[in-house]
Amino acid sequence: QIQQEKKNQLVESAFNGRLHELTFRFLTLVLSKDRQEILPHLADEFEKMVATWKNELTAEVRSAVPLNDKERKFVGAELGKITGRKINLSEVVDKSVIGGLIIRYGDKQIDGSIRHHLEQIRSEWKNVRITAD
């Protein structure tokens, strides 16, 4: 909603000389094409690329209660063995998990939650046929 000239002036005063020249030129190009809405997505993708370059992976861990240090280290170490990468944990407390953990990394999910196990048991019981001899 800000006029293009004003945007250019704001970016110039805020970033010129503070960013690498190539980064600054890229930013001004994005703004000149009126595509500033993509900047947050570009930042996310850049962070993913840096993490890949550093051989790091962020994994989201959902649990009913916060993990203690021992659990945190164990989960990080086991995921590190599975993926071959250094793991950064992002923890989320979610009461609906009931117990256990739900771990998401990349496009994978490990659901070791009590809720998931109860749903599996419920599904299996629906398929059980009881017959009388």
Side-chain angles (χ1 to χ4, degrees):
Q1 295 182 355
I2 299 172
Q3 292 181 352
Q4 188 65 41
E5 185 59 35
K6 184 67 173 168
K7 280 185 214 177
N8 292 342
Q9 290 172 355
L10 288 170
V11 169
E12 178 79 26
S13 65
F15 298 113
N16 194 13
R18 294 188 178 122
L19 294 176
H20 186 278
E21 176 65 22
L22 188 58
T23 305
F24 178 74
R25 289 176 48 207
F26 176 73
L27 181 60
T28 57
L29 175 66
V30 169
L31 292 175
S32 72
K33 300 293 184 186
D34 201 26
R35 297 296 309 258
Q36 57 275 359
E37 72 278 355
I38 70 168
L39 289 173
H41 303 291
L42 291 174
D44 292 341
E45 290 302 314
F46 182 75
E47 285 179 8
K48 288 178 189 175
M49 290 172 60
V50 169
T52 300
W53 178 73
K54 290 180 163 183
N55 200 32
E56 294 178 351
L57 179 66
T58 298
E60 178 187 271
V61 179
R62 288 186 173 274
S63 58
V65 296
L67 299 179
N68 63 38
D69 287 338
K70 185 177 178 181
E71 293 165 332
R72 199 173 290 117
K73 286 179 186 174
F74 177 78
V75 170
E78 291 302 308
L79 284 175
K81 288 178 192 174
I82 292 169
T83 63
R85 297 169 79 178
K86 180 184 180 296
I87 303 297
N88 299 315
L89 294 182
S90 169
E91 297 179 46
V92 177
V93 175
D94 181 351
K95 301 287 184 195
S96 73
V97 173
I98 303 173
L101 301 173
I102 300 172
I103 303 169
R104 290 185 183 125
Y105 61 96
D107 60 352
K108 296 179 177 43
Q109 176 172 301
I110 301 170
D111 194 338
S113 68
I114 299 295
R115 180 181 190 179
H116 175 70
H117 290 292
L118 290 173
E119 288 171 359
Q120 283 182 320
I121 291 169
R122 185 178 306 125
S123 176
E124 289 173 16
W125 274 98
K126 286 180 181 179
N127 296 326
V128 171
R129 294 186 150 229
I130 300 175
T131 58
D133 288 334

